[in-house]
Amino acid sequence: MNAPLPVEVLKQHLIDPEICIRCNTCEETCPVDAITHDSNNYVVDPDICNGCMACVPPCPTGSIDNWRLVVRAQAYSVQDQLGWEELPKETSLPADADAAPAPAQAADAQAAAAMPAPAMVAGAAVPPWSAAHPYVNLYTHKTPITATVVGNYRVTGADTESDIHHIVLDFGEQPFPVLEGQSIGILPPGTDAQGRPHHARQYSLASPRDGERAGYNNLSLTVKRVTQDHGGAAAHGVCSNYLCDLARNDTVQVIGPFGHTFLMPNHPRANLIMICTGTGSAPMRAMTERSRRLIGTNEIGKLMLFFGARTERELPYFGPLMKLPRDFIDINLALSREAGQPKRYVQDLIRERAGQVRELLADRNTCIYVCGLKGMEVGVLDALREVMMQAGEDWSILHDVLRREGRLHFETY
Ligand code: A2P
């Protein structure tokens, strides 16, 4: 007599729609394209996910790290997940279920062999060893915190297309501890085309841990008013327009903080190489200001900044940046549309400053941060590879060390 076949169990990977901030990091990270989304949710396809975990460390909220034991034949489909407002409750498995759950396709030896190896993620999944411990997810979609606008002004030339604002939010007596490199979510008021409340939009902090104004419970954001999509077609950015139009004393619903890896080192004389474009300057401003407040102590190391913008007048914070002491920060501006000047990107300047970049990279106290346009990521990695190759050094070995030691971080969009 044949024994009945055991019911196969799947450890199904799910994303918590109540915590997810729809930042797209998981979809970009997944090496096998198992993650997809619609206007409601980010979801994992159970037929593709191999449980490789590549998406878990980069997720700023932890919403990605949800698993349910299900009978494989009854796994939640992509369609099911797209309709969810919350995760389903855990259910018990039938008695005849196979005790050893298989994470998606990796359970099938043949299928696993056919899977592409997980792609190497460019940045580190861990913070630098000396980073301070961050608080994350103190406030969620269900329990946001109210902040008051105490400042909102433009930080780019009034005659330019780039309408970028510096917005200061105050939390009063309510706890909202943050670190440089972290981000927060803003819940814009109103509903989307389907009548659902808007999802949160994520913004990096532009201020250091002790406040935009030192000693105050406030923080700042750098927000570009979105009037076009990436292809240049007219588009109205729901949250960016809401934020850029806020007046003093208006209130804003905030969630977060988020981020546990893109954090600055906290030990004396650590060096920072900061590479950014446009509003990607926010975390660099936060780290620079944190360091500036330590001038006069023997805490700070070397700071080297590569900052890309169309023109000087479209470079956020140009005036205050240029006032910083030259022996405190080595500033390299890459301007792409300045009249009478050749087009330059940050990666061009990294090549031009190869000697200094190599010197800093040779020091284990150096951390690199890259924030801004997605397209910059490949360009910056290529430039760093070339800089090392020129000196006969193997970038792939250093790249691996930088990732392992939490010394190379990307935040691109
Ligand atoms: P470009 O003039 O070619 O658009 P933005 O103002 O759109 O936020 O862009 C900030 C800066 O980043 C601009 O100077 C822009 O140049 C530049 N940029 C665009 N694409 C890349 C890329 N792939 N790598 C580096 N910089 C880029």
Side-chain angles (χ1 to χ4, degrees), residues 162 224 277-278 308-310 334 336-337 343 345-347 373 375-376:
S162 303
K224 182 172 185 176
T277 57
R310 298 173 187 189
S336 58
R337 304 189 198 180
K343 182 182 183 93
Y345 280 174
V346 283
Q347 48 269 42
L373 295 173
M376 170 177 65

Side-chain angles (χ1 to χ4, degrees), residues 144-157:
I145 182 174
T146 303
T148 304
V149 178
V150 293
N152 181 359
Y153 56 89
R154 186 169 167 144
V155 286
T156 44

Side-chain angles (χ1 to χ4, degrees), residues 18-19 21 137-148 169-171 174-176 184-189 197-201 242 251-258:
E18 290 185 282
I19 301 177
I21 52 170
N137 290 330
L138 294 178
Y139 301 91
T140 66
H141 284 84
K142 277 197 177 152
T143 59
I145 182 174
T146 303
T148 304
L169 301 178
D170 193 273
F171 293 90
Q174 311 165 97
F176 201 80
I184 64 169
I186 301 285
L187 293 169
H198 289 297
H199 293 304
R201 306 304 202 273
Y242 161 66
T251 56
V252 179
Q253 297 300 104
V254 177
I255 64 173
F258 307 122

Side-chain angles (χ1 to χ4, degrees), residues 162 164 224 276-280 307-311 314 334-337 343-348 372-380 413:
S162 303
I164 301 182
K224 182 172 185 176
C276 63
T277 57
T279 53
F307 193 159
R310 298 173 187 189
T311 64
E314 285 168 279
L335 303 176
S336 58
R337 304 189 198 180
K343 182 182 183 93
R344 289 163 105 207
Y345 280 174
V346 283
Q347 48 269 42
D348 301 322
L373 295 173
K374 182 90 203 135
M376 170 177 65
E377 204 167 306
V378 174
V380 165
Y413 37 83

